[in-house]
Structures are given as C-alpha cells and as structure tokens.
Amino acid sequence: MRRPGLLSASGVILLGLIVMMTLHEWGNPLEGDNEAFLSAPAITAENIVARQFNRDSGEVEYRLLANNLEQYEREALTLLDHPNLSLNNGNNQWTIQADNGEVRDNGDLIVFENNVEAVSKNNGVTLDTRELHYLSGDRQVSAPDTVHMRHSEGSTRAGSMDADLDTGRMTLKQGVVSEFKGPKP
C-alpha cells in the first residue's frame, strides 16, 4: 500500500519540476542573447502615411509616405524604406524621395539617403544628392554632400547646400559650377 503513495508523490514532484522549468524558459526566452532582444525593432509597419500639422494654423506642413517602417526604441531611431515627403510651403511645394530614410530627434530631423531626389514643380527645379536632411521645426533643408540641380535655364553643381523653406533662400557651397542655356538664334 505504501508504494502507490510513493509513486504518486514522485509523479507530483516530477510534474512540479517540469512546470518550473517550463515557466523559467517562458520568463527568459532570450537569456544569454539579450542584445538580440534589445536591438530588435519595437514596431514594424508597412505602407506608412504620416502627416505633420502646424501647431498654430492646424494646416498640414508635410505628408510622409514609406513602404516600410522599423522603429527602434533603444536608439530613438525610425528607419524608412523608400520615403516620400511632400512639403507644402504656401506657393512652393517640394517632394523629396529616396531609397532609405531615418527619422531622428523625435521626428524633428528626417534624413534621406541613397538616390535622393527633390522636385519643385512650381520652380521647375530638380535636385539630386546622396543625402538630404530636413529639420521640420526650423523648416531647413541641407545636403552635406554633392548636389546636382537641373532647372529650366540649365544646371548647377555644388559641394553642399543649405536652404530655408520659409524665406526660399538657398546657399550653395564648395565649388559651385553653373551652366546656363542661351536663347536659340
């Protein structure tokens, strides 16, 4: 009669050990690989549409589209795949697109990288560069690398560029070269 009780107690102890081991594994699924867990994106999304509104007027300042988004909380960084930014600046509208993008500083800085193209249909200007920064709060655009611009009068190349979207003032730096088309005789 004592043997069934001993087997029953052994079974309960064994079952308890299995439950404890299982719960321990569930509690720490990546034990020993915390870096993989911490560097994984917190949010992933597809077909993104985001809008930034002016705090005073309530009007849309820009609209940002992207194929994919990955947000990393650890680095406070959001990566974008094929971002497309439409800026509305009164009479002047710009569209900026690139292969890759990053949103930094809580959305105050958007960095466009690889095959960047900015187009102003109002002015007939197309700008190409490898990297372009948009500071949304200051409404400033800068290109720290070579810039190629095409416009109705010809083309311009510069080593870098800064622009103020509110005033419309653009500053070209580092070896600026412009070629203008003359009128046809």
Side-chain angles (χ1 to χ4, degrees):
M1 293 271 176
R2 289 183 156 184
R3 289 190 182 186
L6 180 64
L7 288 175
S8 178
S10 299
V12 168
I13 291 172
L14 183 60
L15 181 62
L17 285 172
I18 292 172
V19 168
M20 285 178 45
M21 289 174 27
T22 303
L23 290 175
H24 176 71
E25 286 300 313
W26 280 346
N28 284 325
L30 294 174
E31 187 172 320
D33 198 5
N34 286 335
E35 187 60 35
F37 176 74
L38 293 173
S39 57
I43 298 173
T44 60
E46 296 178 349
N47 301 319
I48 305 306
V49 178
R51 291 178 181 85
Q52 174 74 28
F53 295 91
N54 182 296
R55 291 181 182 157
D56 298 327
S57 69
E59 293 181 12
V60 175
E61 286 186 357
Y62 69 77
R63 184 180 68 143
L64 178 64
L65 307 174
N67 291 348
N68 296 301
L69 169 145
E70 290 183 355
Q71 184 175 358
Y72 298 87
E73 286 188 29
R74 184 177 183 188
E75 293 89 17
L77 174 70
T78 302
L79 301 179
L80 303 169
D81 178 43
H82 289 88
N84 183 312
L85 181 73
S86 298
L87 298 166
N88 187 5
N89 188 31
N91 295 332
N92 197 2
Q93 295 180 350
W94 282 87
T95 301
I96 304 170
Q97 58 188 8
D99 289 345
N100 308 99
E102 296 180 1
V103 179
R104 303 177 187 164
D105 301 334
N106 293 323
D108 291 337
L109 172 63
I110 303 173
V111 178
F112 297 88
E113 299 172 312
N114 303 319
N115 299 315
V116 181
E117 181 182 72
V119 178
S120 172
K121 291 184 181 179
N122 302 33
N123 296 332
V125 174
T126 301
L127 181 144
D128 297 308
T129 187
R130 285 191 296 167
E131 185 175 325
L132 190 73
H133 299 186
Y134 172 60
L135 292 162
S136 64
D138 297 333
R139 300 198 33 87
Q140 304 282 322
V141 176
S142 65
D145 204 359
T146 304
V147 175
H148 297 276
M149 292 175 36
R150 295 180 309 279
H151 41 84
S152 59
E153 294 85 24
S155 64
T156 302
R157 185 177 67 247
S160 65
M161 185 253 341
D162 294 314
D164 185 319
L165 297 177
D166 289 330
T167 64
R169 182 176 181 169
M170 180 182 292
T171 305
L172 301 173
K173 305 174 189 172
Q174 303 172 353
V176 178
V177 176
S178 289
E179 297 176 5
F180 290 93
K181 299 176 192 174
K184 293 185 180 182

